[in-house]
Amino acid sequence: MNRLSDFYRLGAALTDYEIVQLEGTGVGEEYYDVLTSLVSGNILDELFDDYNNLDKTCSGHVPDEQIRSSILANPKLGPVARNIIKLWYLSIWYQLPENWRQKYGIPNQTKNKYQDVQFIVSRNAYIQGLVWQATGSHPMGAKQPGYGTWSAAPGNQPHPVNFQ
Amino acid sequence: MSTCEQFDVVIVGAGISGAIMAQQLGAKGKKVLILEAGTGTEDRFWNSESEHEGEKVKHPGYESYMDTFFTALAKIPNAPFPNNPNAPQPLVTDLAPIRDNQPLTDGYFVQKGPLPFSSTYTRSEGGTTLHWLGTCLRMLPEDFDINTRFGQGLDWPIDYDELQKWYEMAEKNIGVSANADEQNYHQINNSSVHIPFENQYNYPMEKIPQSYLDHHMEEGLRGMTVSFDDQDYPVDVVSTPQARNGMPRGDYRPVGAVGNPDVGQRCAGNSNCVPICPIQAKYNALKTLEQARKTGNVEIRNQCVVYDIEVDPATNNISRLLYKQYQHSGSPDHVCKTVTGKIVVLAAHAVENAKLLLASGIANSSDQVGRNLMDHPTMLTWGLMPDKIGAFRGPGSTSGIPSLRGGAFRKNRAAFRIEIGNWGWSWPEGAPINTVPDLIDQKNMFGKQLKDTIQSIYPRMFRFGFLVEQLPDSNNRVTIDPDYRDQLGNYRPVINYNVTDYTRAGMAAAKQVSDQIFQRLGVEGYTEYHPSDPGYLTYQGKGYTYNGAGHLVGTHIMGSDSKTSVVNKEQRSWDHPNLYLVGCGNMPTISTSNPTLTMAALTYWAADNVLKALDQA
């Protein structure tokens, strides 16, 4: 199994963005790298397998209730799934809950590039957070839409006025 | 003394006032040295490297601030600018309520209260203009004599008419976008706020386009009035003059980024003026420093912290400045040096100027140094508009409601200006970054529900900022204490601060105006003030919260009497003939305008006074 493509499939279900949109951010592999550094492989296997099984039994249309009961309400998988949503939306890794860490945390992270503390994944990742487009805006400080675009009604295609 | 370097003028501080002073003097052939306590990026936009004795040396450019900004978790005003223990700076994240008279000592400021002083500034080359919003309002004529008119605060030793030509100079050199026929406020049915402009005068650039929210607000509030003391006042939305590049008038050419002048010639809508404009379409003092450097007469020395100023007892002139020069912000290692200037200008910022004067024991025969510290306690109100207004787009604010800045009510309570915020709930709630986790963790949203919620709610978010006037109060002050020092052994500012009933009454009136506007526009209100907010206070049984505006004013006020003021109208120390103080510290009152434009105007005037003094000598 290609776990990276599983990561995109699950991400698409958790965020309601198309896989191609997630791939288009260009930072999915970076998120996957963070996730696999901070959550043990067998938990991720379980998470991805659970979703793939749901997907198979529901022929590609997994009802929300199934994702809630099997994944989000699962004490082991739920916190990881919520962190995946936050990665895609905000490009921030949040420290996993204390009780989760005691039970499932990777004990020694000192050799790893990432630590299970709150951090912004990277400069580029911050710019790719899904929250900015969901808000109908752009990442504050990047992807500048052009002079005067803020005067237009929201949701309309911006027309930079200085190059008309 | 023979080893002491000599200049015509030595300036302490490479922020906007130091930059203006240096540029004006350098252009007239005077030899100028600027000593800046913080680190800097000089003329570099991009990061670069060089080799020195076989080792690679990094030279961070302006772009390094963007790296720091993007990866900082708390996107506070000082987020892009590196933590420098040799020139520490106050941070919003240092703030907490002050309980049981226990001072807050964890940050750079030692806060003795009873309320915390909430504003911050930046100790780097370019100063706080690196993270300012760029609002460039003039003061009202009535602001210059509120003691005579209203029996409150202090009168200035100058009036609006004297400052007018310096306002024009500041607006041109900083590069302000606005339309004079709106900014004179003559369209507002409240003559107290009318500002006379010179005939034919206009700003160098056309006004920045107003946001969709501004237009929505303007239509919704048309004809609205509010009543204070049985008198009706209009509630009018007006575009705000901004130090932000727009469409030039005539032969004016906008100034782009330092080290990359092709970018930043127009605002491109990065929606990030505070804490940092990525392209420098918003003015910062690096631009004026660059112009100063190009005169060939100005040297800017970063990482040099002035800690003592000596006086020649025979003449009372400043004889020399003592400073500590460090190599790296990570190490306290430094060398001590001295320098002299025929004239010395302190442009280090209101708090730092006061601190340095107190540490040196000079310029304080009036006992006013450090006193009368003011800010605009800024009260926020926020809510959801009935329809999407396109939040999180454009400059932080493109319009305000200035029609309540002046009037007879100032006899009884503080005036205020209303700022219309374009960035949703980013200030009051940290949206979207700090609010989306709650939707996921507590509201248990994911998938379509989460996306739909963000798409439908966030574009409706908006907030007001009420910048409330604060009067000079000798108990609101900066002092020093040998027990509190930074890693170089220099003093940390110790601050006593409170907000009087005059200002609290202004906050209460502001909240009433906000409520009426929300009722009129059908805004779903979400404003909450909590006793756990650092700036929480009460007035007549109701709670309000103020935030810092970053407008630090009044620590070495100007006046017409040497017994009650620190500088005279020329901005020269009453005590030392060759010492000038510049910056917002000179302002005897704060009124309702963001102070930078007035401070810049005053500094152009001060530069003219320094030139005359040098030429007479």
Side-chain angles (χ1 to χ4, degrees), chain B residues 226-293:
Chain B
V226 288
S227 181
F228 304 126
D229 308 330
D230 297 325
Q231 194 178 329
D232 288 341
Y233 291 86
V235 178
D236 289 355
V237 174
V238 181
S239 75
T240 303
Q242 297 152 60
R244 180 169 286 104
N245 286 333
M247 306 305 257
R249 287 195 165 95
D251 57 2
Y252 180 83
R253 288 294 164 263
V255 180
V258 171
N260 193 7
D262 290 342
V263 306
Q265 299 201 4
R266 297 287 184 286
C267 172
N270 272 290
S271 315
N272 208 59
C273 327
V274 182
I276 183 167
C277 175
I279 58 173
Q280 297 184 30
K282 178 194 71 180
Y283 171 86
N284 65 47
L286 299 174
K287 298 185 183 190
T288 306
L289 289 170
E290 179 70 356
Q291 291 162 358
R293 241 185 238 111

Side-chain angles (χ1 to χ4, degrees), chain B residues 17 20-21 23-25 144 156-170 173 345 558 568-572 580-583 586 597-613:
Chain B
S17 58
I20 287 171
M21 183 63 73
Q23 188 275 330
Q24 291 290 297
L25 299 175
F144 290 85
W156 288 47
I158 58 170
D159 63 19
Y160 174 83
D161 292 341
E162 285 176 276
L163 200 54
Q164 181 166 306
K165 72 170 180 173
W166 304 108
Y167 269 136
E168 292 180 6
M169 188 180 238
N173 291 352
V345 179
M558 61 160 72
N568 63 17
K569 66 185 277 188
E570 295 177 347
Q571 299 169 70
R572 186 160 60 100
Y580 287 76
L581 308 182
V582 292
N586 284 347
L597 181 77
T598 298
M599 172 258 272
L602 286 170
T603 305
Y604 280 106
W605 189 354
D608 196 54
N609 296 331
V610 171
L611 271 174
K612 283 179 186 149

